[in-house]
Amino acid sequence: MSRVTVSIDPHVHSEGSYDGHEPVELILEHAAEIGLDAVVITDHDVIRESKRAAEIAPEYGLIGIPGVEVSTAHGHLLAVGVERMPPRGRSYAETVRWIRDRGGVAIVPHPFQRSRHGVRQRNIPTPGSAADAGEPVAADGAPEAGAVEADPEPEPVAAVAEVDAIEVFNAWLFTGYRNRRARRFAAEHGYPGVAASDAHHLQYVGRAFTELTVEGVESVHDVTADDVLAAIRRGTTTVEGRRAPIRMAAKHYVGAAGRRSAYYARTGAARGARATKRTAVDGAVAAKVAALQSIHRTRRFLSWFA
């Protein structure tokens, strides 16, 4: 049987997200240039830009796959391959069921990292687990206001649908501890592992990615979004997420900078003006902070002789 391998970064943020910075056109252009076959825009709790990116992805030679990073009652969850925004604030188990009922795949991003709203291990649906288990938390990871203790003798509930994959390498993590713990958890429960950049800036797109084996097609150009989702469910994934060597990182940064400049030159003054203004403001703030720090140090130094 014929088969091909596709490379996908399944966790990227655009300017549609409150913490994203890049337009989807620029992300798609960059992804194509660095050799990815697909990139999933997973903005926080909004899906409009992701759907638009999926529609225009073929213009860049990429597979179009919509997605979103939804805030559940127990932490963040990636909904990949869905066309609608999942309900916010529901339990992890209920959100997983919602995603899977609509043909998507549910992927656990940066698990166990509570500072970034990663889900606790006890709240990830696993074989034989029960629905709505665990203490609910707000979207920011704190215990939900007004939450009450569970009934000491709860009614039996049905087993829930399991998640489809675990993000076992997130390039945004500062250390490897959480990634290693995620790998152990995925292996223990038989979940496929994926790697993702979790990029919020262009130069980080593709710093980690997942390779998928798709069977029954002759070339990457024949692969559809449904093929990619099916490959994730089957677990035919290979994680590519080692820390990039300095020369590769430099290539990403330089390439991203050049593409950003060229993009804004092509798309007119409006976007370019906003980007220039943002850069100028950031520079002014940094200069002000540096000046204040310099004054503080000077005063402290002079006080030693007073």
Side-chain angles (χ1 to χ4, degrees):
M1 180 182 293
S2 58
R3 63 182 63 183
V4 298
T5 299
V6 297
S7 300
I8 173 176
D9 188 344
H11 187 180
V12 174
H13 296 274
S14 78
E15 65 180 4
S17 186
Y18 72 88
D19 57 354
H21 300 276
E22 319 290 358
V24 295
E25 291 88 352
L26 187 52
I27 294 172
L28 294 173
E29 179 180 313
H30 183 70
E33 286 290 334
I34 63 176
L36 292 175
D37 299 303
V39 59
V40 185
I41 303 299
T42 51
D43 292 330
H44 289 287
D45 298 316
V46 288
I47 200 171
R48 183 175 61 85
E49 286 301 287
S50 182
K51 291 177 64 176
R52 191 168 69 84
E55 290 174 0
I56 65 175
E59 299 175 16
Y60 298 84
L62 301 174
I63 306 163
I65 308 171
V68 62
E69 185 168 5
V70 58
S71 298
T72 78
H74 300 116
H76 289 177
L77 179 65
L78 296 181
V80 177
V82 297
E83 296 285 345
R84 292 170 50 200
M85 176 65 210
R88 296 182 65 231
R90 304 286 180 86
S91 72
Y92 222 71
E94 185 178 353
T95 311
V96 169
R97 187 163 54 245
W98 189 98
I99 294 167
R100 298 189 72 180
D101 285 348
R102 286 156 182 80
V105 297
I107 300 175
V108 182
H110 43 73
F112 321 131
Q113 190 179 14
R114 300 300 291 161
S115 62
R116 295 176 59 208
H117 317 312
V119 64
R120 294 182 187 277
Q121 181 171 328
R122 66 172 179 262
N123 294 128
I124 299 176
T126 55
S129 65
D132 303 335
E135 174 186 312
V137 298
D140 61 359
E144 188 171 18
V148 296
E149 293 186 3
D151 189 322
E153 295 182 359
E155 292 294 325
V157 291
V160 300
E162 302 168 38
V163 296
D164 294 289
I166 305 291
E167 192 177 76
V168 299
F169 192 98
N170 180 293
W172 219 46
L173 299 182
F174 291 108
T175 70
Y177 169 71
R178 301 294 183 187
N179 284 332
R180 291 193 296 272
R181 184 179 171 191
R183 283 198 298 272
R184 289 195 298 269
F185 179 84
E188 178 182 351
H189 294 284
Y191 289 127
V194 302
S197 67
D198 194 2
H200 292 67
H201 293 84
L202 188 66
Q203 62 266 30
Y204 294 107
V205 174
R207 286 289 295 272
F209 60 92
T210 304
E211 288 191 341
L212 300 166
T213 300
V214 178
E215 299 180 345
V217 295
E218 298 293 338
S219 72
V220 173
H221 301 293
D222 299 323
V223 177
T224 67
D226 287 339
D227 292 331
V228 171
L229 300 180
I232 294 175
R233 296 188 190 100
R234 287 196 304 270
T236 57
T237 62
T238 302
V239 170
E240 296 293 340
R242 300 179 183 86
R243 294 291 178 183
I246 293 176
R247 65 179 183 277
M248 185 183 297
K251 181 179 180 181
H252 273 252
Y253 275 93
V254 172
R259 274 184 282 278
R260 183 183 289 111
S261 298
Y263 172 81
Y264 285 120
R266 291 196 310 269
T267 56
R271 284 184 179 273
R274 287 198 297 270
T276 301
K277 181 179 179 180
R278 185 169 60 229
T279 302
V281 170
D282 291 344
V285 171
K288 182 178 179 179
V289 171
L292 291 174
Q293 290 176 337
S294 178
I295 292 171
H296 175 74
R297 293 192 186 101
T298 301
R299 287 176 176 171
R300 186 176 181 185
F301 176 76
L302 294 176
S303 69
W304 296 345
F305 301 97

